[in-house]
Amino acid sequence: MNTEKDFSPLTPNIVRALNDKLYEKRKVAALEIEKLVREFVLQNNSTQIRHVIQILAAEFALSQHPHSRKGGLIGLAACSIALGKDSGLYLKELIEPVLTCFNDSDSRLRYYACEALYNIVKVARGAVLPHFNVLFDGLSKLAADPDPNVKSGSELLDRLLKDIVTESNKFDLVAFVPLLRERIYSNNQYARQFIISWILVLESVPDINLLDYLPEILDGLFQILGDSSKEIRRTCEVVLGEFLKEIKKTPSSVKFADMANILVIHCQVSDESKLTNDLIQLTAMTWMREFIQLAGRVVLPYSSGILTAVLPCLSYDDRKKSTKEAASACNQSLMKLVTPEDDDEEEVVQPGDSQLQEDSLPKVQDSLDNSLNASQDSVGFSTISFFASTNNDRPQVTMDLDGIVQVLDRHLHESSTGMMTRIAVLKWLYHLYIKTPRKMFRHTDSLFPMLLKTLSDESDEVILKDLEVLAEIASSPAGQTDAPGSCDNAESKAELQVPASAKPVQPGVGSKGTDCSPSTPSMNSYFYKFMINLLNRFSMERKLLEIRGAFIIRQLCLLLNAENIFHSMADILLKEEDLKFASTMVQTLNTILLTSAELFQLRNQLKDLHTQESCTLFCCLYRSWCHNPVATVSLCFLTQNYKHAYDLIQKFGDLEVTVDFLMEVDKLVQLIESPIFTYLRLQLLDVENNPYLIKALYGLLMLLPQSHAFQLLSHRLRCVPNPELMRAAPQTRPSGSVRPAPCHVDYGELLEHFDRVQSKHLEVRHQRAVRAEQPDRKLVL
C-alpha cells in the first residue's frame, strides 16, 4: 500500500499499524480509530465519520494485500463500537465490505470478517434488521465453511442475530421469504442445518406468522427431511410438527390447496431402498390425513390426487405399518366426504382442477417434476386431478368424479396392485355407486369389463367386493335402459346375446310380477348384461367355473334375487351353442340349487309348484336343465314330479351312457340321502300315492353298476314298506298334509323338448368323435 497517499483524517501511524502483519499492532490502530470516531461523534461531524469508513473499506478491507484487509476489518469494527447507537446510520457502509471478505480464500481473513461483523451487529442490534437478507445470505455461506474456526465464529454471529430477531417486532418476513425459499434447496448439510434452525426460530416468534408462507417452503422442508444426517432429520421433524400444531389451532387461515400438491408428491416414494424416504412418506401421509379431517369437503375437488398417493400405501406390509395406517385413515376420511348431494349438483368444470398447477408449487425440484410426469405417462393418461389453487370464495364444492374413476380404474388394471389396494378400490366404487349412482352410471360401460375380469382374482375377499359392486350396478334404479351407459353398445355384440325371452325386469317388479316382495331388488338393463358376460367368462375360463363358479353364484344369490339369477341364466343357456359348456353349467347350477343354504327359499318355492309363478320358473329351468339329463331328473325330484322323472329315466336307455354320466347318477343318489330330500324319503312310506317315485328310484338303481351308490340306494329301497301292510293300517293323514293340486304343466311338450336337446348333444358328440378318429391323410407315392 502507498503510505504516502493521503488517508486523512487517519494519521500515518494508524495507517502503518493497520497494514502491519502483527495482530497486536492492528489492534492498537483500531483503538486509535475508535478514539478518533468518538470525537467526530461528539462534534456531530457525520462527513468525517463517513470519510473514515470509506477509507477503511476501499483502501483497506477491499485491498489486494491480506494484512491491509485484516486491518480494514478491525478498523470498521472499531468505528461501529465508537458510533454506538448511531451506527445504524452507517450500517450499509460498514456491512458491505465485511460481507465481501466472507468470500476470501484465506480462512483466517474469513474468521476476522466474521468477528468484525459480530461486533458491528452487537452494537447496532435491531438497526441491522433492514439489512437482514444480506446478513442471512452471508451467514448461510459461512455455515458450510470447511474451516472449523470460521464455522465457530459464524455460529456466534448466528446466535446473536437470532436473539435480535426474536426480541424485535420489526422483522420483514415478506422480504425474507423469497431468500428462504431459494436457500432451502441447498444440498449441503451445514447449510440445511442453518436453514432449518432459522425456520424453527421464526416459527417460535409470536409476532411472526410464518404459516402464511408455509406453501412456499414446505417442499424444501420435505427435501431436508430426507437428509442423511439424523440430527438434521430430527430438527426438521420438530419444525414440521410445530407447523402442524399451528395448522390444527387455526385451520380457517390455512392454505390447504396450495400445500396439498406437495403432499401428494411426497406421499409417493420413488426409491424404496432409501430409509429416509419412508420418513418423508409417513410425514406427508400424516399431514394429508390432518388436511382431509380439517378441510372437510374443501378437498373433494382434489380427491383423485389424494387417492393416487394413498391407495398404493394400503398394501404395505408391517415394515411400513405406520404409513399404512395413516393412508387407511386418509382413505376412510375422504370416503366419508362423498354424500348424495354430490349426485345432485351440476357439473361445474373448474379450470386447472384436472392437472397439477405449477403456480401452486413455489419451487419443486426438477427431479420431482420429472418423476410426476413419468408416473402420469405410465398410466396412459394425464388428466389425474391433483390439488390446485382454488378460490376460497367459490360457493359450491364439486367432486372430481371423472378423475377419481380414472385413478380407481388404473389401479384395477395394473397387475402390480396389491390385494388391499384392490379391495379399497372396489369399496370406493361401491360407495360411489351408492352415493352418486346417476353420475357413476356414465362410467359403467368403461368399468364393466374390468369388474368382470376381477372375478378371476386370487383373493376371495377381492371377489366378494367385486360382486358387491356388480350387484349394485345390476340392481340400481339409476341403470335403466334409457340411462347413459345402457348395455346396447359395440362391445356387447361380441358377447353372448340376450334371448328374446330374457327381457329386463322393470324397477320395482320382480319375476313374480305384481306379487313381488318389497324386499326383492329391482333389476335393470345391466342385470342381464351382467348375467350374459358372467356366463361368457365361465365359458372362456373353465378353471374359474370349476374353482370359483359355485362361490360366485352363491354370493350373487345373497346380493340379488336368487330367482332372477336362475331364471335369467336358464334363459341364456337355452340359446347356448357350446353344448358341453351348457351341460357343465347346468350341472353347476343344479348342485347349487340342491345344496346351498342361500337357495333355501327358492327350493321351497319349487317344491310344490302350487302357484303359476313357480310353474313358470320350473318350466324355464327345465328347458335349460335338459342339457344335463341327470340334473333334469333331480329337478323333477325337487319339484315332486315323480312320474315325469320316471318317464325321463326310461329314456336314458337311448342315451350314450358314459363314465361321467354314471358319476352324476352316483352324486344324485348321495343327494337323495342328504337332508334336502328328507321329504322325498318320507314319501316312500306312502307307497300307493307315490308309485312313480319308487319306480324312478328303481330305475336309477338299474342304471348304476354295483358300486357303493348301488348298495346305498338298494338298501334304501329295501326299507320301503310292503303295500299290503300299509293298506291294512287306517289312513290318518291330516287334511293339511295333502299336497295341493299342481298348476297345469304340459309334460308331453317338456319330454319332446328333452328329446330334441339330447339329439343335439348326441349329434355334437358324434361329430367330435369322428373328428378325433379321422386319420391324417398322407400322400402315398
Side-chain angles (χ1 to χ4, degrees):
M1 177 176 284
N2 186 5
T3 56
E4 297 179 358
K5 189 174 181 180
D6 184 17
F7 292 102
S8 60
L10 298 182
T11 63
N13 290 333
I14 292 175
V15 171
R16 281 194 299 272
L18 287 176
N19 288 311
D20 200 282
K21 64 179 181 180
L22 295 176
Y23 171 76
E24 293 299 328
K25 291 186 178 182
R26 295 196 300 272
K27 186 175 180 180
V28 171
L31 292 174
E32 292 296 323
I33 292 173
E34 184 181 343
K35 291 179 183 179
L36 182 63
V37 173
R38 286 186 189 276
E39 293 176 3
F40 291 146
V41 170
L42 292 174
Q43 299 169 6
N44 199 22
N45 191 345
S46 60
T47 302
Q48 286 292 69
I49 294 173
R50 204 171 297 277
H51 187 49
V52 170
I53 294 174
Q54 289 174 352
I55 291 174
L56 290 172
E59 302 297 334
F60 290 89
L62 302 179
S63 171
Q64 297 297 321
H65 196 278
H67 297 311
S68 298
R69 293 200 294 275
K70 295 173 184 177
L73 289 171
I74 197 170
L76 289 170
C79 287
S80 178
I81 293 171
L83 288 167
K85 62 180 180 178
D86 294 330
S87 62
L89 301 173
Y90 309 94
L91 277 176
K92 187 174 188 298
E93 294 89 341
L94 289 168
I95 289 173
E96 286 183 354
V98 177
L99 289 175
T100 302
C101 292
F102 277 12
N103 299 318
D104 199 283
S105 58
D106 185 354
S107 61
R108 229 17 225 163
L109 202 139
R110 295 198 301 274
Y111 174 77
Y112 285 131
C114 190
E115 185 181 50
L117 188 59
Y118 178 87
N119 289 318
I120 293 171
V121 172
K122 186 176 182 180
V123 172
R125 301 297 294 183
V128 302
L129 290 179
H131 308 278
F132 179 80
N133 276 16
V134 293
L135 294 173
F136 183 88
D137 183 57
L139 269 176
S140 66
K141 296 173 183 177
L142 289 187
D145 198 285
D147 187 271
N149 291 323
V150 176
K151 194 184 300 182
S152 176
S154 71
E155 289 173 358
L156 288 173
L157 177 57
D158 179 53
R159 284 197 291 270
L160 174 61
L161 201 56
K162 285 174 180 174
D163 290 340
I164 293 171
V165 170
T166 304
E167 295 167 359
S168 174
N169 58 359
K170 297 180 180 179
F171 182 75
D172 189 355
L173 184 61
V174 176
F176 172 62
V177 167
L179 178 62
L180 177 61
R181 183 177 63 224
E182 175 188 345
R183 293 304 169 88
I184 202 170
Y185 284 101
S186 172
N187 291 323
N188 184 280
Q189 285 189 351
Y190 298 107
R192 283 181 165 182
Q193 183 70 57
F194 172 77
I195 293 289
I196 201 69
S197 66
W198 265 102
I199 294 175
L200 188 60
V201 168
L202 293 176
E203 173 61 15
S204 65
V205 179
D207 294 331
I208 298 177
N209 187 13
L210 194 57
L211 186 61
D212 287 344
Y213 302 93
L214 182 57
E216 302 188 49
I217 62 172
L218 184 60
D219 180 66
L221 287 172
F222 274 102
Q223 297 287 336
I224 294 176
L225 190 61
D227 195 273
S228 58
S229 169
K230 186 176 181 180
E231 182 181 354
I232 294 175
R233 292 199 304 272
R234 187 184 298 112
T235 306
C236 190
E237 281 189 88
V238 172
V239 170
L240 288 169
E242 291 299 319
F243 275 123
L244 194 57
K245 287 179 183 177
E246 193 170 345
I247 288 172
K248 292 179 181 179
K249 291 178 181 178
T250 58
S252 58
S253 61
V254 178
K255 301 174 182 177
F256 289 107
D258 291 340
M259 290 184 283
N261 270 325
I262 302 166
L263 299 182
V264 167
I265 292 172
H266 290 291
C267 281
Q268 303 173 72
V269 176
S270 57
D271 183 6
E272 295 188 4
S273 63
K274 293 179 66 176
L275 295 177
T276 54
N277 279 337
D278 293 345
L279 176 61
I280 294 174
Q281 187 182 33
L282 174 59
T283 306
M285 196 66 70
T286 303
W287 275 59
M288 184 73 79
R289 178 190 65 201
E290 298 297 336
F291 272 31
I292 296 172
Q293 294 175 353
L294 293 171
R297 286 180 57 84
V298 172
V299 304
L300 273 181
Y302 321 109
S303 303
S304 58
I306 301 175
L307 288 175
T308 299
V310 165
L311 288 174
C313 302
L314 300 178
S315 293
Y316 285 167
D317 54 25
D318 289 341
R319 290 175 296 178
K320 295 184 178 182
K321 184 179 180 181
S322 298
T323 304
K324 181 179 179 179
E325 291 175 349
S328 179
C330 287
N331 185 58
Q332 293 174 9
S333 297
L334 188 63
M335 189 177 291
K336 290 177 181 178
L337 298 179
V338 183
T339 62
E341 69 182 77
D342 294 305
D343 203 34
D344 298 331
E345 63 192 22
E346 294 294 327
E347 291 286 352
V348 180
V349 179
Q350 298 294 337
D353 278 359
S354 61
Q355 59 184 359
L356 181 63
Q357 298 293 323
E358 294 180 357
D359 294 341
S360 66
L361 286 176
K363 180 173 177 110
V364 180
Q365 288 182 318
D366 292 340
S367 60
L368 286 175
D369 288 334
N370 294 336
S371 66
L372 178 59
N373 293 332
S375 66
Q376 290 182 346
D377 293 340
S378 66
V379 302
F381 51 82
S382 58
T383 57
I384 295 178
S385 176
F386 288 91
F387 280 82
S389 299
T390 183
N391 183 4
N392 292 330
D393 297 329
R394 191 172 68 184
Q396 121 179 350
V397 174
T398 304
M399 181 177 65
D400 178 25
L401 185 62
D402 292 347
I404 292 175
V405 172
Q406 284 182 342
V407 173
L408 298 176
D409 187 53
R410 181 193 66 176
H411 281 91
L412 276 184
H413 275 85
E414 288 182 350
S415 58
S416 59
T417 302
M419 182 189 73
M420 297 307 298
T421 299
R422 296 199 300 277
I423 292 173
V425 167
L426 293 168
K427 285 182 177 179
W428 259 103
L429 290 173
Y430 181 76
H431 185 70
L432 292 173
Y433 272 109
I434 293 291
K435 299 296 183 181
T436 60
R438 290 190 302 109
K439 290 184 178 179
M440 275 301 294
F441 264 92
R442 302 171 191 174
H443 302 277
T444 301
D445 277 341
S446 62
L447 291 171
F448 205 71
M450 195 61 220
L451 289 172
L452 287 167
K453 186 178 179 181
T454 306
L455 291 175
S456 303
D457 197 276
E458 297 178 355
S459 167
D460 286 349
E461 192 171 354
V462 171
I463 294 176
L464 280 174
K465 295 302 176 185
D466 189 39
L467 289 172
E468 287 181 8
V469 178
L470 287 166
E472 181 59 31
I473 292 174
S475 60
S476 174
Q480 296 308 313
T481 307
D482 57 348
S486 116
C487 62
D488 299 328
N489 56 27
E491 289 183 8
S492 64
K493 295 178 181 179
E495 308 291 349
L496 291 170
Q497 298 300 310
V498 181
S501 60
K503 300 297 183 184
V505 181
Q506 295 303 316
V509 181
S511 61
K512 298 182 183 179
T514 56
D515 295 331
C516 177
S517 166
S519 63
T520 301
S522 59
M523 302 297 124
N524 57 39
S525 56
Y526 272 98
F527 174 76
Y528 279 92
K529 182 178 182 181
F530 178 27
M531 294 297 105
I532 291 169
N533 284 275
L534 178 60
L535 289 175
N536 190 39
R537 192 151 200 89
F538 284 151
S539 177
M540 294 186 297
E541 295 185 38
R542 299 299 173 87
K543 199 72 175 177
L544 175 63
L545 175 60
E546 179 184 342
I547 298 175
R548 293 279 175 71
F551 171 73
I552 291 172
I553 295 171
R554 287 170 57 194
Q555 293 303 317
L556 283 176
C557 289
L558 289 175
L559 296 167
L560 298 170
N561 182 259
E563 180 182 341
N564 287 339
I565 291 172
F566 272 74
H567 200 297
S568 60
M569 285 190 170
D571 278 340
I572 297 167
L573 288 171
L574 191 61
K575 303 293 183 180
E576 175 60 54
E577 297 180 356
D578 186 347
L579 300 183
K580 185 176 181 180
F581 166 70
S583 177
T584 304
M585 194 67 225
V586 164
Q587 183 182 1
T588 302
L589 290 171
N590 186 66
T591 302
I592 296 170
L593 176 63
L594 295 179
T595 60
S596 298
E598 296 84 356
L599 277 297
F600 174 78
Q601 185 175 354
L602 188 60
R603 285 195 296 271
N604 281 346
Q605 182 180 341
L606 287 167
K607 186 179 294 184
D608 292 326
L609 300 183
H610 62 279
T611 65
Q612 186 58 50
E613 289 77 14
S614 60
C615 290
T616 302
L617 177 60
F618 165 72
C619 292
C620 175
L621 296 181
Y622 181 94
R623 294 179 184 280
S624 291
W625 260 233
C626 286
H627 285 296
N628 189 295
V630 179
T632 312
V633 171
S634 66
L635 180 62
C636 291
F637 282 158
L638 176 65
T639 57
Q640 304 185 62
N641 282 299
Y642 301 134
K643 182 179 185 306
H644 194 71
Y646 172 68
D647 293 338
L648 288 174
I649 293 172
Q650 281 189 313
K651 292 179 176 291
F652 283 6
D654 300 328
L655 303 180
E656 182 182 3
V657 178
T658 62
V659 174
D660 291 338
F661 181 91
L662 293 175
M663 289 179 63
E664 291 181 36
V665 177
D666 189 295
K667 292 178 182 178
L668 177 56
V669 172
Q670 302 291 336
L671 280 172
I672 291 172
E673 295 297 322
S674 69
I676 291 172
F677 281 115
T678 301
Y679 67 92
L680 180 147
R681 297 195 300 273
L682 288 175
Q683 287 172 357
L684 291 174
L685 292 173
D686 191 358
V687 180
E688 290 189 351
N689 290 318
N690 295 291
Y692 288 103
L693 170 58
I694 299 173
K695 288 184 178 182
L697 293 179
Y698 269 110
L700 291 179
L701 186 67
M702 295 303 107
L703 284 172
L704 286 169
Q706 295 195 23
S707 58
H708 174 70
F710 177 90
Q711 299 295 334
L712 193 65
L713 184 55
S714 176
H715 183 71
R716 171 64 63 185
L717 290 171
R718 284 199 299 271
C719 295
V720 174
N722 188 320
E724 297 298 329
L725 293 177
M726 297 301 292
R727 191 178 297 116
Q731 297 294 326
T732 57
R733 190 184 211 178
S735 59
S737 65
V738 178
R739 289 175 56 194
C743 298
H744 176 70
V745 175
D746 189 350
Y747 289 102
E749 192 275 333
L750 292 180
L751 281 174
E752 291 176 4
H753 177 77
F754 178 83
D755 290 338
R756 289 194 299 271
V757 172
Q758 293 308 310
S759 295
K760 288 182 182 179
H761 278 268
L762 185 61
E763 182 181 352
V764 169
R765 284 196 293 269
H766 176 70
Q767 291 174 355
R768 191 182 298 119
V770 170
R771 287 196 298 270
E773 295 176 1
Q774 186 175 8
D776 295 336
R777 295 183 178 180
K778 297 182 180 179
L779 181 62
V780 180
L781 298 178

